[in-house]
Amino acid sequence: MMAIQYFWRHPLAEQVREEGRKEGREQGRIEARREVVLHVLELRRIPVPDSVRERVEECTDLAQLESWAKRALHGADIEELFADE
C-alpha cells in the first residue's frame, strides 16, 4: 500500500498530472471556441451546411477558431467565415 501512495507523490507523477491538466484546459478552450463559432452563426440565423459544421468541429487550432468567431460576429454570410483561406 505504501508504494502506491508514494508513487502518486513522486515528482514524475506530479509532472504527468500537470501536463494532463494543461492539455485538458487547452482542449476545453478549443471546444468552447468551436461552440462559440457555431452558436453565433445560429443566433444570427446564418445557415450552417454540414460541411462547415464538420470543418469547425474538426479544427484544433485555437487561433483559427478565434478568427472564425470574430468573422461569425460580423460576416454577412457563411462564405465570409472562411475568407482569405
Side-chain angles (χ1 to χ4, degrees):
M1 214 46 165
M2 289 296 273
I4 293 172
Q5 290 176 352
Y6 173 76
F7 172 76
W8 294 111
R9 294 182 180 163
H10 191 276
L12 180 60
E14 291 176 18
Q15 178 184 355
V16 169
R17 281 194 302 273
E18 183 57 31
E19 288 172 6
R21 285 186 201 106
K22 286 179 183 177
E23 189 174 309
R25 286 190 294 267
E26 182 70 13
Q27 278 301 112
R29 285 191 283 275
I30 289 170
E31 188 61 35
R33 288 303 183 280
R34 289 175 181 154
E35 291 175 9
V36 166
V37 170
L38 297 173
H39 191 66
V40 167
L41 293 170
E42 178 184 312
L43 287 173
R44 296 192 59 222
R45 295 193 166 106
I46 296 176
V48 180
D50 288 341
S51 61
V52 170
R53 182 175 303 281
E54 288 174 16
R55 186 171 177 183
V56 171
E57 289 175 349
E58 291 174 359
C59 183
T60 58
D61 182 350
L62 191 57
Q64 181 65 68
L65 289 164
E66 185 66 33
S67 175
W68 289 345
K70 290 175 185 176
R71 290 178 186 176
L73 284 170
H74 303 290
D77 55 33
I78 201 70
E79 286 80 27
E80 289 187 34
L81 187 66
F82 302 120
D84 300 330
E85 289 185 15

